Amino acid sequence: MDGEGLEVKCIDVHPDQAKPAVLRKTVSYIVCGIIFNDKDEVLMVQEAKQECYKQWYVPAGRMEEGESIEEALQREVKEEAGFDWGSLKTTDEADKESLQATWWDRVSPLQLRGRDILNLIDFGLKYGLHCVPPRGVASSDAAGGPALQSRGAEAAPTLPPRLPTAAAVKTHSLMWASNLVVQDALGPLYYDHDVTTLGVLGLQHQHHHQQHHQQQQHQHHGRCDGVCFNILSQLVPDRVQRNRDGEAVEVPEPSEPPPVENPDRYAWHRIQSQAVVDSILGKMRNACTLPIHSLY
Protein backbone atom coordinates (compact mmCIF):
# COMPACT_ATOMS: atom_id res chain seq x y z
CA MET A 1 0.00 0.00 0.00
CA ASP A 2 3.02 2.29 0.34
CA GLY A 3 4.46 1.57 -3.10
CA GLU A 4 6.54 -1.47 -2.30
CA GLY A 5 6.73 -4.42 -4.67
CA LEU A 6 6.95 -8.19 -4.43
CA GLU A 7 8.80 -10.49 -6.79
CA VAL A 8 6.43 -12.21 -9.21
CA LYS A 9 7.57 -15.83 -9.35
CA CYS A 10 4.63 -17.33 -11.24
CA ILE A 11 1.43 -16.37 -13.05
CA ASP A 12 -1.83 -17.98 -11.97
CA VAL A 13 -3.92 -17.19 -15.04
CA HIS A 14 -2.46 -16.72 -18.50
CA PRO A 15 -4.14 -16.97 -21.92
CA ASP A 16 -2.54 -19.33 -24.42
CA GLN A 17 -1.33 -16.43 -26.58
CA ALA A 18 0.71 -14.87 -23.76
CA LYS A 19 4.40 -14.46 -24.63
CA PRO A 20 7.48 -13.59 -22.56
CA ALA A 21 8.06 -9.84 -22.32
CA VAL A 22 11.33 -8.83 -24.00
CA LEU A 23 11.98 -5.12 -24.36
CA ARG A 24 12.12 -3.85 -27.96
CA LYS A 25 11.01 -7.26 -29.25
CA THR A 26 7.62 -8.13 -27.76
CA VAL A 27 7.02 -5.05 -25.58
CA SER A 28 7.78 -1.34 -25.70
CA TYR A 29 7.27 1.07 -22.80
CA ILE A 30 6.63 4.82 -23.05
CA VAL A 31 7.35 7.01 -20.04
CA CYS A 32 6.07 10.56 -19.65
CA GLY A 33 6.65 13.10 -16.91
CA ILE A 34 3.83 15.17 -15.38
CA ILE A 35 5.93 17.62 -13.37
CA PHE A 36 4.62 20.66 -11.49
CA ASN A 37 6.36 23.61 -9.89
CA ASP A 38 5.23 25.38 -6.72
CA LYS A 39 2.75 27.45 -8.79
CA ASP A 40 1.04 24.30 -10.11
CA GLU A 41 2.43 25.01 -13.58
CA VAL A 42 3.27 21.92 -15.62
CA LEU A 43 6.55 21.30 -17.43
CA MET A 44 6.14 21.31 -21.24
CA VAL A 45 8.56 20.85 -24.14
CA GLN A 46 8.32 22.10 -27.71
CA GLU A 47 8.70 19.28 -30.21
CA ALA A 48 11.49 19.19 -32.80
CA LYS A 49 10.14 16.21 -34.78
CA GLN A 50 8.91 17.11 -38.25
CA GLU A 51 5.42 15.61 -37.82
CA CYS A 52 4.70 17.75 -34.74
CA TYR A 53 7.20 20.59 -35.19
CA LYS A 54 6.82 23.45 -32.67
CA GLN A 55 3.88 21.80 -30.93
CA TRP A 56 3.97 21.32 -27.16
CA TYR A 57 3.82 18.14 -25.09
CA VAL A 58 5.03 16.75 -21.78
CA PRO A 59 8.49 15.09 -21.73
CA ALA A 60 8.01 11.55 -23.04
CA GLY A 61 9.87 8.77 -24.79
CA ARG A 62 10.68 5.08 -25.00
CA MET A 63 12.42 3.18 -22.25
CA GLU A 64 15.85 1.89 -23.27
CA GLU A 65 17.18 -1.57 -22.51
CA GLY A 66 18.75 -1.78 -19.07
CA GLU A 67 16.86 1.22 -17.65
CA SER A 68 14.51 1.34 -14.73
CA ILE A 69 11.30 3.34 -15.11
CA GLU A 70 12.75 6.17 -13.01
CA GLU A 71 16.01 6.21 -14.98
CA ALA A 72 14.11 6.36 -18.28
CA LEU A 73 11.96 9.22 -17.04
CA GLN A 74 14.93 11.16 -15.68
CA ARG A 75 16.77 10.75 -18.99
CA GLU A 76 13.80 11.93 -21.07
CA VAL A 77 13.20 14.95 -18.84
CA LYS A 78 16.89 15.88 -19.02
CA GLU A 79 17.13 15.37 -22.80
CA GLU A 80 13.90 17.13 -23.76
CA ALA A 81 13.51 19.80 -21.08
CA GLY A 82 17.10 20.29 -19.96
CA PHE A 83 15.55 20.23 -16.51
CA ASP A 84 18.14 20.67 -13.81
CA TRP A 85 16.17 21.81 -10.75
CA GLY A 86 15.69 25.38 -11.89
CA SER A 87 17.03 25.84 -15.41
CA LEU A 88 15.14 24.78 -18.55
CA LYS A 89 16.23 24.29 -22.15
CA THR A 90 16.17 27.50 -24.22
CA THR A 91 15.95 27.99 -28.00
CA ASP A 92 19.72 28.45 -28.05
CA GLU A 93 20.02 24.83 -26.87
CA ALA A 94 17.54 23.38 -29.39
CA ASP A 95 18.44 19.95 -30.74
CA LYS A 96 16.76 16.91 -32.28
CA GLU A 97 15.11 16.08 -28.95
CA SER A 98 13.23 19.38 -28.53
CA LEU A 99 13.32 23.09 -29.29
CA GLN A 100 12.78 24.49 -25.79
CA ALA A 101 10.93 23.92 -22.52
CA THR A 102 8.66 26.06 -20.38
CA TRP A 103 6.29 26.02 -17.42
CA TRP A 104 2.66 26.18 -18.57
CA ASP A 105 -0.07 27.67 -16.39
CA ARG A 106 -2.72 25.61 -18.30
CA VAL A 107 -4.52 28.87 -19.18
CA SER A 108 -2.24 30.64 -21.64
CA PRO A 109 -2.71 29.59 -25.30
CA LEU A 110 -0.39 26.77 -26.27
CA GLN A 111 -0.50 24.65 -29.44
CA LEU A 112 -0.58 21.11 -28.06
CA ARG A 113 0.66 18.04 -29.89
CA GLY A 114 -2.28 16.12 -28.43
CA ARG A 115 -5.05 16.71 -25.93
CA ASP A 116 -4.61 13.28 -24.34
CA ILE A 117 -2.28 14.80 -21.76
CA LEU A 118 -4.94 17.15 -20.34
CA ASN A 119 -6.60 14.39 -18.30
CA LEU A 120 -3.17 13.27 -17.08
CA ILE A 121 -2.33 16.80 -15.97
CA ASP A 122 -5.67 17.23 -14.18
CA PHE A 123 -5.28 13.88 -12.44
CA GLY A 124 -1.70 14.72 -11.47
CA LEU A 125 -2.89 17.86 -9.71
CA LYS A 126 -5.68 15.98 -7.94
CA TYR A 127 -3.40 13.12 -6.95
CA GLY A 128 -0.82 15.46 -5.46
CA LEU A 129 -3.50 17.35 -3.56
CA HIS A 130 -5.58 14.48 -2.17
CA CYS A 131 -3.73 11.20 -2.56
CA VAL A 132 -0.33 11.69 -0.97
CA PRO A 133 -1.23 11.74 2.74
CA PRO A 134 1.24 11.20 5.59
CA ARG A 135 1.85 7.59 6.55
CA GLY A 136 -0.65 6.13 9.00
CA VAL A 137 -3.67 8.23 8.03
CA ALA A 138 -6.69 6.73 9.77
CA SER A 139 -10.29 6.55 8.61
CA SER A 140 -12.77 7.60 11.28
CA ASP A 141 -15.76 5.87 9.67
CA ALA A 142 -14.05 2.59 8.84
CA ALA A 143 -15.63 0.59 11.65
CA GLY A 144 -18.45 -1.52 10.34
CA GLY A 145 -17.73 -0.55 6.73
CA PRO A 146 -17.66 -3.12 3.96
CA ALA A 147 -13.89 -2.91 3.66
CA LEU A 148 -13.64 -4.60 7.06
CA GLN A 149 -14.84 -7.67 5.20
CA SER A 150 -12.25 -7.20 2.47
CA ARG A 151 -10.29 -10.27 1.66
CA GLY A 152 -7.87 -11.11 -1.12
CA ALA A 153 -7.82 -14.42 -2.96
CA GLU A 154 -4.37 -15.89 -2.44
CA ALA A 155 -2.63 -18.77 -4.10
CA ALA A 156 -2.36 -21.68 -1.70
CA PRO A 157 -1.07 -23.73 0.00
CA THR A 158 2.42 -24.96 -1.00
CA LEU A 159 3.89 -21.49 -1.52
CA PRO A 160 3.75 -18.65 1.00
CA PRO A 161 0.49 -16.65 0.68
CA ARG A 162 0.63 -14.08 -2.10
CA LEU A 163 -1.69 -12.06 -4.28
CA PRO A 164 -2.86 -13.78 -7.47
CA THR A 165 -1.48 -12.71 -10.84
CA ALA A 166 -2.85 -12.75 -14.38
CA ALA A 167 -1.10 -12.17 -17.70
CA ALA A 168 -2.35 -9.35 -19.90
CA VAL A 169 -2.41 -9.72 -23.69
CA LYS A 170 -4.04 -7.74 -26.49
CA THR A 171 -7.40 -9.44 -26.02
CA HIS A 172 -7.25 -9.64 -22.21
CA SER A 173 -5.62 -6.44 -20.96
CA LEU A 174 -5.50 -4.84 -17.52
CA MET A 175 -9.24 -4.35 -17.18
CA TRP A 176 -9.73 -8.09 -17.58
CA ALA A 177 -7.03 -9.23 -15.17
CA SER A 178 -9.22 -9.20 -12.06
CA ASN A 179 -12.08 -10.86 -13.93
CA LEU A 180 -9.83 -13.67 -15.12
CA VAL A 181 -8.54 -14.34 -11.60
CA VAL A 182 -12.02 -14.28 -10.03
CA GLN A 183 -13.42 -16.51 -12.76
CA ASP A 184 -10.59 -18.97 -12.25
CA ALA A 185 -11.08 -18.95 -8.48
CA LEU A 186 -14.89 -19.00 -8.23
CA GLY A 187 -15.91 -20.99 -11.27
CA PRO A 188 -19.68 -20.70 -12.00
CA LEU A 189 -20.18 -18.37 -9.00
CA TYR A 190 -18.23 -15.73 -10.94
CA TYR A 191 -21.39 -14.94 -12.91
CA ASP A 192 -23.26 -14.02 -9.72
CA HIS A 193 -20.81 -11.20 -8.93
CA ASP A 194 -19.63 -7.92 -10.37
CA VAL A 195 -15.88 -7.34 -10.51
CA THR A 196 -15.03 -3.64 -10.52
CA THR A 197 -11.47 -2.57 -11.31
CA LEU A 198 -10.93 0.61 -9.29
CA GLY A 199 -7.46 1.42 -10.61
CA VAL A 200 -3.74 0.88 -10.23
CA LEU A 201 -2.10 1.05 -6.80
CA GLY A 202 1.45 0.77 -8.11
CA LEU A 203 3.70 -0.50 -10.84
CA GLN A 204 6.55 -3.00 -10.50
CA HIS A 205 9.41 -3.31 -12.95
CA GLN A 206 12.71 -5.10 -12.48
CA HIS A 207 15.35 -3.60 -14.73
CA HIS A 208 18.50 -5.29 -15.95
CA HIS A 209 20.79 -3.98 -13.22
CA GLN A 210 18.76 -6.07 -10.81
CA GLN A 211 18.38 -8.81 -13.40
CA HIS A 212 22.15 -9.23 -13.78
CA HIS A 213 22.41 -10.41 -10.19
CA GLN A 214 19.50 -12.79 -10.72
CA GLN A 215 20.97 -14.18 -13.92
CA GLN A 216 23.78 -15.45 -11.74
CA GLN A 217 21.02 -17.41 -10.01
CA HIS A 218 20.09 -19.10 -13.35
CA GLN A 219 17.37 -16.71 -14.55
CA HIS A 220 17.00 -16.22 -18.30
CA HIS A 221 17.59 -12.99 -20.21
CA GLY A 222 14.37 -11.06 -20.81
CA ARG A 223 12.53 -12.66 -17.92
CA CYS A 224 12.50 -9.38 -16.02
CA ASP A 225 11.38 -7.12 -18.89
CA GLY A 226 7.72 -7.36 -17.92
CA VAL A 227 5.88 -4.96 -15.66
CA CYS A 228 3.40 -5.90 -12.95
CA PHE A 229 0.43 -3.63 -12.25
CA ASN A 230 -0.83 -3.88 -8.67
CA ILE A 231 -4.56 -3.41 -9.19
CA LEU A 232 -7.25 -2.65 -6.60
CA SER A 233 -10.54 -4.38 -7.47
CA GLN A 234 -13.86 -4.84 -5.73
CA LEU A 235 -15.97 -8.01 -5.77
CA VAL A 236 -19.67 -7.25 -5.25
CA PRO A 237 -22.40 -9.93 -5.27
CA ASP A 238 -25.25 -9.39 -7.70
CA ARG A 239 -28.10 -8.60 -5.31
CA VAL A 240 -30.77 -9.28 -7.95
CA GLN A 241 -30.69 -12.75 -9.51
CA ARG A 242 -33.16 -14.88 -11.47
CA ASN A 243 -34.95 -18.01 -10.34
CA ARG A 244 -35.80 -20.93 -12.62
CA ASP A 245 -38.88 -19.11 -13.89
CA GLY A 246 -36.81 -16.07 -14.86
CA GLU A 247 -38.25 -13.91 -12.09
CA ALA A 248 -36.04 -11.38 -10.35
CA VAL A 249 -35.16 -12.44 -6.80
CA GLU A 250 -33.30 -10.15 -4.43
CA VAL A 251 -30.53 -11.96 -2.60
CA PRO A 252 -29.46 -10.79 0.88
CA GLU A 253 -25.92 -9.56 1.24
CA PRO A 254 -23.72 -12.50 2.30
CA SER A 255 -21.72 -12.39 5.51
CA GLU A 256 -18.94 -14.54 4.07
CA PRO A 257 -17.10 -14.45 0.74
CA PRO A 258 -18.15 -16.93 -1.94
CA PRO A 259 -16.42 -20.31 -1.75
CA VAL A 260 -13.56 -20.91 -4.13
CA GLU A 261 -13.92 -23.71 -6.65
CA ASN A 262 -10.33 -24.91 -6.33
CA PRO A 263 -9.16 -24.50 -2.71
CA ASP A 264 -5.85 -26.13 -3.55
CA ARG A 265 -4.97 -22.99 -5.53
CA TYR A 266 -6.92 -20.16 -3.90
CA ALA A 267 -8.07 -19.18 -0.43
CA TRP A 268 -9.63 -16.08 1.10
CA HIS A 269 -7.48 -14.14 3.52
CA ARG A 270 -9.06 -11.75 6.00
CA ILE A 271 -7.14 -8.49 6.42
CA GLN A 272 -6.17 -8.30 10.08
CA SER A 273 -4.38 -4.95 10.08
CA GLN A 274 -6.72 -2.03 10.73
CA ALA A 275 -4.13 0.30 9.22
CA VAL A 276 -4.29 -1.61 5.92
CA VAL A 277 -8.11 -1.57 5.99
CA ASP A 278 -8.07 2.19 6.61
CA SER A 279 -5.59 2.69 3.81
CA ILE A 280 -7.74 0.74 1.33
CA LEU A 281 -10.89 2.59 2.42
CA GLY A 282 -9.14 5.91 2.01
CA LYS A 283 -7.98 5.08 -1.51
CA MET A 284 -11.46 3.89 -2.49
CA ARG A 285 -13.19 6.91 -0.98
CA ASN A 286 -10.84 9.51 -2.49
CA ALA A 287 -10.36 7.67 -5.80
CA CYS A 288 -6.64 7.56 -5.04
CA THR A 289 -5.74 4.95 -7.61
CA LEU A 290 -4.40 5.60 -11.08
CA PRO A 291 -7.25 5.21 -13.61
CA ILE A 292 -6.93 2.59 -16.34
CA HIS A 293 -7.85 3.53 -19.90
CA SER A 294 -8.13 0.40 -22.00
CA LEU A 295 -9.98 -0.75 -25.10
CA TYR A 296 -10.57 -4.16 -23.51
Side-chain angles (χ1 to χ4, degrees), residues 80-100:
E80 297 190 355
F83 186 67
D84 194 17
W85 301 106
S87 62
L88 297 179
K89 179 183 286 188
T90 65
T91 52
D92 294 334
E93 302 168 300
D95 54 24
K96 65 178 182 178
E97 299 292 342
S98 65
L99 301 178
Q100 61 177 319

Side-chain angles (χ1 to χ4, degrees), residues 116-136:
D116 57 325
I117 59 173
L118 296 180
N119 285 337
L120 290 176
I121 293 172
D122 290 341
F123 186 83
L125 284 170
K126 171 185 172 297
Y127 193 87
L129 183 64
H130 299 291
C131 302
V132 191
R135 289 177 180 267

Side-chain angles (χ1 to χ4, degrees), residues 219-266:
Q219 289 202 357
H220 299 291
H221 174 72
R223 184 172 180 177
C224 299
D225 286 343
V227 293
C228 178
F229 294 86
N230 299 321
I231 297 175
L232 179 62
S233 300
Q234 187 175 26
L235 180 65
V236 180
D238 187 354
R239 296 291 302 278
V240 178
Q241 299 181 16
R242 302 283 176 178
N243 60 20
R244 293 182 178 180
D245 297 326
E247 300 172 333
V249 178
E250 185 171 346
V251 179
E253 184 173 346
S255 58
E256 294 294 330
V260 295
E261 185 181 45
N262 40 8
D264 58 323
R265 296 183 56 213
Y266 296 97

Side-chain angles (χ1 to χ4, degrees), residues 130-152:
H130 299 291
C131 302
V132 191
R135 289 177 180 267
V137 169
S139 171
S140 59
D141 60 345
L148 291 179
Q149 303 299 317
S150 295
R151 304 166 176 90

Side-chain angles (χ1 to χ4, degrees), residues 1-16:
M1 297 301 294
D2 291 325
E4 303 94 338
L6 297 173
E7 183 179 0
V8 179
K9 296 184 178 181
C10 63
I11 297 177
D12 300 293
V13 183
H14 52 85
D16 294 337

